[in-house]
Amino acid sequence: KAGVTQTPRYLIKTRGQQVTLSCSPISGHRSVSWYQQTPGQGLQFLFEYFSETQRNKGNFPGRFSGRQFSNSRSEMNVSTLELGDSALYLCASSSSGEPYNEQFFGPGTRLTVL
Amino acid sequence: AQKVTQAQTEISVVEKEDVTLDCVYETRDTTYYLFWYKQPPSGELVFLIRRNSFDEQNEISGRYSWNFQKSTSSFNFTITASQVVDSAVYFCALRPYYTGANSKLTFGKGITLSVRP
C-alpha cells in the first residue's frame, strides 16, 4: 500500500506570494490533517478534513486554508506569505479520523519564504 | 486546554545504553489517547504506540517499553540497549477521546536522541 504523498517536496517563495500544497492520503483513508513544524513552535495542528468537510481547525490566521476533494486528496493554501511561514508542512491521513486512529504522515513539504 | 511537555530537549547516549524519554501532559478531559511518534532525519513521522487513558498497563515491544502513570500524568518511553538507528526526534502527543471541534492531536516539542557508536 502506498504511503501518504506530498507535493512538492521543496518550495521557495517570496513574501506576499501565495502557495498551494498537495497531499494524497493512503488509499481508503478518509481523514486528512495538516501540521506546521518549525524549530521554535514545534508541531502545530492546522486543520483536519473528513469526507470533504473541515472538522477541526487550529489557531492559525485566515491566510491558511484548505480543502478536501471527493477522492480524499487534500490541498492547503497559504496566501500573502510571510517570512514566518517558512516551515515543514506535514500531512497525515487516518482511516476514519477517530481519535484512536494512528495517523500516517507524509514526508512533508519544506516551504522557504524569502 | 491540552498541553504536552517534553522537558528533555536533547539526549546523547552511547550505543547499548538504556535511555528514558520523559513525557508529562495536562488535560481537563477524563478520557484521552496518548501517542509516541518518531521522526528520523528523513522527516516522516512514524507511529510507535497508542495508549488510552483507561489502560495503565505498561507495554513492551522489543527494545521499547512505555510506562503510563495517570496519577502523575506521565507517559515515559524507554529504549533498552540503544542503537545508532534509534537516533531521531521523538514526540509525545495527546488527543481527546471525542471527535469534532477541539479534538486535535497536541504534540510536545520533541526530544532529539543521538546514539553514538
Side-chain angles (χ1 to χ4, degrees):
Chain A
K1 216 177 200 183
V4 177
T5 57
Q6 292 186 245
T7 56
R9 291 293 311 279
Y10 301 91
L11 209 46
I12 299 175
K13 292 285 187 178
T14 55
R15 276 185 302 174
Q17 287 187 309
Q18 73 150 22
V19 67
T20 299
L21 311 182
S22 181
C23 171
S24 292
I26 290 173
S27 177
H29 283 192
R30 295 167 63 193
S31 170
V32 172
S33 297
W34 288 89
Y35 298 86
Q36 181 196 65
Q37 186 176 21
T38 59
Q41 299 300 316
L43 273 158
Q44 292 188 287
F45 171 76
L46 279 157
F47 21 67
E48 178 191 8
Y49 287 88
F50 180 77
S51 292
E52 302 178 68
T53 302
Q54 186 180 87
R55 190 155 69 174
N56 215 338
K57 190 176 190 304
N59 296 325
F60 279 82
R63 301 185 297 107
F64 291 81
S65 62
R67 59 179 176 167
Q68 187 180 33
F69 302 95
S70 58
N71 62 358
S72 293
R73 192 177 69 83
S74 177
E75 288 182 347
M76 68 162 278
N77 184 278
V78 188
S79 62
T80 320
L81 284 165
E82 299 177 1
L83 296 178
D85 297 333
S86 293
L88 179 66
Y89 290 88
L90 292 164
C91 166
S93 76
S94 66
S95 56
S96 65
E98 294 295 331
Y100 53 78
N101 286 157
E102 64 182 273
Q103 295 192 3
F104 294 83
F105 284 80
T109 294
R110 173 77 61 188
L111 172 64
T112 302
V113 182
L114 302 175
Chain B
Q2 299 178 128
K3 187 177 177 183
V4 176
T5 301
Q6 296 181 263
Q8 306 148 309
T9 53
E10 293 184 26
I11 300 176
S12 181
V13 299
V14 177
E15 212 171 14
K16 295 186 183 153
E17 277 187 41
D18 298 347
V19 58
T20 295
L21 311 181
D22 298 332
C23 172
V24 173
Y25 61 92
E26 295 173 33
T27 179
R28 282 180 277 192
D29 297 310
T30 54
T31 51
Y32 47 86
Y33 289 96
L34 292 161
F35 301 82
W36 275 93
Y37 282 86
K38 172 183 179 180
Q39 187 176 39
S42 60
E44 204 163 316
L45 270 81
V46 176
F47 167 81
L48 294 177
I49 192 171
R50 169 189 56 239
R51 171 66 68 225
N52 72 51
S53 54
F54 293 110
D55 182 4
E56 289 197 62
Q57 205 168 22
N58 290 333
E59 180 150 345
I60 299 174
S61 175
R63 297 183 297 108
Y64 295 170
S65 63
W66 290 268
N67 181 6
F68 172 42
Q69 292 197 348
K70 204 167 179 179
S71 60
T72 56
S73 297
S74 65
F75 186 40
N76 297 336
F77 173 29
T78 297
I79 302 175
T80 303
S82 60
Q83 300 177 359
V84 173
V85 293
D86 295 327
S87 296
V89 182
Y90 291 85
F91 293 94
C92 180
L94 166 71
R95 184 165 185 177
Y97 195 71
Y98 52 85
T99 57
N102 299 319
S103 176
K104 61 179 184 178
L105 193 59
T106 299
F107 285 90
K109 289 289 178 75
I111 301 170
T112 301
L113 174 64
S114 298
V115 182
R116 308 186 306 276

